[in-house]
Amino acid sequence: MPPINIIRYSLIFLLLAGLKVAPVTAQTQATPQISSIVQLQIQDAIGPATSDYIERSMDKAVESGAKAVLILLDTPGGLDTSMRQIIKKIIASPIPVITYVSPGGARAASAGTYLLYASHVAAMTPGTNLGAATPVQLIPAGNPDEPSGDELDKAKPSGDKSKGETVKNPMMQKALNDAVAYIRSLAEMRGRNADWAERAVRDAASLSAEQALKLKVIDIVAIDRTDLLKQLDNRVIPVLGQNLTLQTKDAEIRLIEPDWRSELLAVITNPNIAYILLLAGIYGLIFEFSNPGSIIPGTIGGICLLLALFAFQVLPVNYAGMALILLGIALMIAEAFVPSIGILGFGGLTAFVIGSVILMDTDAPGFGINIALIGAFALSSAAFLIIALGLLLKARHKSVVTGSEELSGSIGIALDDFSGTGLVRVHSEIWRARTRESLHKNQKIQVNNRDGLILEVSSIPNQENLHV
């Protein structure tokens, strides 16, 4: 073989070998990618804004390639619907969700207990507690006929292992059994203590962090986040049927805080704010309809009413309460139109207060309307709708005192003798006047109409006892 061909084939061989080796060399020399953990926070009652924040943040965590989601939890409870939305998202998550009750003194009460049981890893800080997961509707406040959580155990005969027999109301029993089955299913899915989970629902039982770890209710007790990540390192977590190994030793923590959308949703879904928006919207529209053309009250009222309706769409609203509020406002308006010695006004005020009290169909912490706010709006509503609206209606029936309409029928005097067009004095003002008859100086006249700056006048047959 000629030397030129040997050199040619040697170069081609070296080139091909380089193409095969280069990617491997680059891959082996690449810097290892540091794993990241997305941190979220729940530090208040769980509601629509909380579920929106958690769901969207978990989607961002998955899209960014995070290896896990860490939720710092401190909550007194919240709405059942919002809690279940978050739990569905946790169960369907392709990456582990670690729920950590922190800092010391925090709690995972009621709905927070369900979130702990649903998470892939449940952790607590010393000095925290969880439990008291009985649905609050099952124990109406101030009703002596219904037993409290501790009284449920005392009411059971000794040796009787049956659960929930003291709950007499069938609907309450149904809700209780549903809550028990739900939390037991979460406990069995995560391999945690299902019997204690049932006690937390039926008997409102609570546990400290150390007791929870001892009873296998949680997985870890960690003094702080660093300790938590240290204990989680190399832990194998089952996620959607696959075992994933957490690498948390040098993990980067990325905090995702609520954005403007979550903050806005948190504000307008606050029951007190939603209540104020509802009444502001109704009053704005009432003022606009009673004084057409005002524009500003109607515009602001329409915006407030739409925001309130959006908030009530995601809040547990009692529509009987809403109807009573509207009825109360209608009766107070009727009092302004048809004086009834206060009967309509008092009835409207009573319906307004009762409707406001029962408007929120839940006893969940953080989702009630402040009684002081209800009282303030009840009194101000009565003052506005009965007194102010009544004065406005009376003012509309008074005679006109300004403008061209007020001139019609006014009395004046002729300043000269004239027929056709001349000058007259009306209300101490000199006007050019037009008449179809002859008028004499100082003769009293009556204004019939106005055409621009010219008055149409006529003489007065009987001029006695008339004053200009």
Side-chain angles (χ1 to χ4, degrees):
M1 182 179 293
I4 295 178
N5 291 337
I6 294 175
I7 295 173
R8 181 184 300 169
Y9 288 127
S10 298
L11 291 175
I12 293 174
F13 175 78
L14 290 175
L15 179 61
L16 293 176
L19 291 175
K20 292 181 180 180
V21 173
V24 177
T25 304
Q27 184 176 1
T28 56
Q29 293 179 354
T31 303
Q33 184 178 6
I34 299 176
S35 61
S36 63
I37 297 176
V38 168
Q39 178 180 308
L40 311 178
Q41 295 182 347
I42 300 177
Q43 297 181 332
D44 204 346
I46 297 173
T50 311
S51 61
D52 176 77
Y53 160 61
I54 295 295
E55 290 181 74
R56 292 193 298 113
S57 298
M58 288 182 63
D59 288 337
K60 292 178 182 177
V62 174
E63 293 172 0
S64 65
K67 300 304 180 183
V69 173
L70 172 62
I71 301 177
L72 299 187
L73 181 64
D74 180 13
T75 179
L79 300 179
D80 179 78
T81 52
S82 300
M83 173 198 75
R84 289 179 182 256
Q85 288 178 359
I86 296 175
I87 290 176
K88 289 178 183 177
K89 195 68 177 180
I90 291 175
I91 294 175
S93 174
I95 59 177
V97 176
I98 307 151
T99 300
Y100 181 37
V101 184
S102 178
R107 56 178 170 166
S110 191
T113 302
Y114 290 82
L115 294 185
L116 268 180
Y117 266 92
S119 301
H120 300 91
V121 177
M124 298 178 71
T125 298
T128 58
N129 67 283
L130 81 161
T134 305
V136 290
Q137 290 89 344
L138 300 182
I139 308 175
N143 187 350
D145 296 331
E146 297 295 341
S148 65
D150 293 334
E151 291 169 345
L152 287 172
D153 269 342
K154 298 177 181 179
K156 296 175 185 176
S158 59
D160 185 2
K161 302 299 183 182
S162 61
K163 300 289 184 181
E165 291 182 358
T166 55
V167 182
K168 299 177 182 179
N169 190 316
M171 292 301 296
M172 294 169 64
Q173 182 68 54
K174 181 179 178 180
L176 181 63
N177 289 339
D178 176 71
V180 167
Y182 189 52
I183 200 168
R184 284 193 71 95
S185 67
L186 296 175
E188 293 166 358
M189 179 177 62
R190 302 302 185 200
R192 300 196 178 105
N193 192 329
D195 292 333
W196 186 87
E198 183 171 348
R199 285 194 57 222
V201 175
R202 292 192 183 277
D203 305 335
S206 296
L207 282 178
S208 65
E210 292 75 11
Q211 290 175 324
L213 181 64
K214 183 178 179 181
L215 294 177
K216 297 183 179 180
V217 173
I218 62 173
D219 307 306
I220 295 174
V221 172
I223 59 175
D224 54 24
R225 190 179 69 184
T226 303
D227 184 27
L228 173 65
L229 297 179
K230 181 179 179 181
Q231 295 188 50
L232 284 173
D233 194 37
N234 293 322
R235 182 182 287 257
V236 178
I237 307 295
V239 178
L240 299 180
Q242 297 181 349
N243 291 329
L244 302 181
T245 302
L246 288 176
Q247 301 294 332
T248 59
K249 183 178 180 181
D250 298 318
E252 175 191 2
I253 303 298
R254 294 191 296 110
L255 175 63
I256 297 182
E257 296 182 343
D259 56 13
W260 67 268
R261 170 178 164 174
S262 297
E263 294 287 356
L264 176 62
L265 191 60
V267 170
I268 65 176
T269 55
N270 182 309
N272 293 309
I273 301 298
Y275 179 71
I276 293 173
L277 289 173
L278 172 68
L279 297 181
I282 293 174
Y283 295 157
L285 294 181
I286 289 175
F287 192 90
E288 181 68 30
F289 291 149
S290 61
N291 295 272
S294 301
I295 300 177
I296 294 178
T299 303
I300 297 176
I303 294 173
C304 290
L305 190 59
L306 289 176
L307 288 174
L309 293 177
F310 172 75
F312 288 142
Q313 174 191 353
V314 295
L315 288 172
V317 176
N318 186 333
Y319 290 100
M322 178 78 73
L324 282 172
I325 291 176
L326 297 178
L327 176 62
I329 293 174
L331 290 175
M332 286 188 281
I333 293 175
E335 176 69 28
F337 280 93
V338 184
S340 60
I341 321 178
I343 296 177
L344 289 176
F346 180 77
L349 188 62
T350 303
F352 182 90
V353 171
I354 295 175
S356 299
V357 170
I358 68 172
L359 180 62
M360 288 296 124
D361 191 19
T362 181
D363 293 325
F367 287 91
I369 299 178
N370 191 288
I371 297 298
L373 182 65
I374 293 175
F377 265 99
L379 295 177
S380 60
S381 298
F384 172 74
L385 295 174
I386 297 176
I387 300 175
L389 194 58
L391 293 175
L392 287 174
L393 291 172
K394 290 179 182 178
R396 293 180 63 179
H397 291 88
K398 290 183 178 180
S399 57
V400 180
V401 296
T402 60
S404 59
E405 293 81 2
E406 187 273 338
L407 283 173
S408 181
S410 298
I411 305 300
I413 60 173
L415 297 180
D416 294 301
D417 296 337
F418 69 90
S419 61
T421 302
L423 298 178
V424 297
R425 178 183 287 114
V426 180
H427 295 327
S428 302
E429 297 174 344
I430 298 176
W431 291 80
R432 181 171 296 278
R434 182 168 55 234
T435 182
R436 296 181 180 180
E437 54 187 296
S438 297
L439 298 177
H440 304 287
K441 184 177 181 180
N442 295 328
Q443 182 179 356
K444 294 183 178 180
I445 51 91
Q446 180 177 0
V447 178
N448 299 324
N449 197 5
R450 192 186 81 168
D451 182 12
L453 296 177
I454 299 178
L455 301 181
E456 295 182 359
V457 302
S458 61
S459 62
I460 301 176
N462 299 321
Q463 299 188 10
E464 294 79 6
N465 301 322
L466 289 178
H467 302 278
V468 180

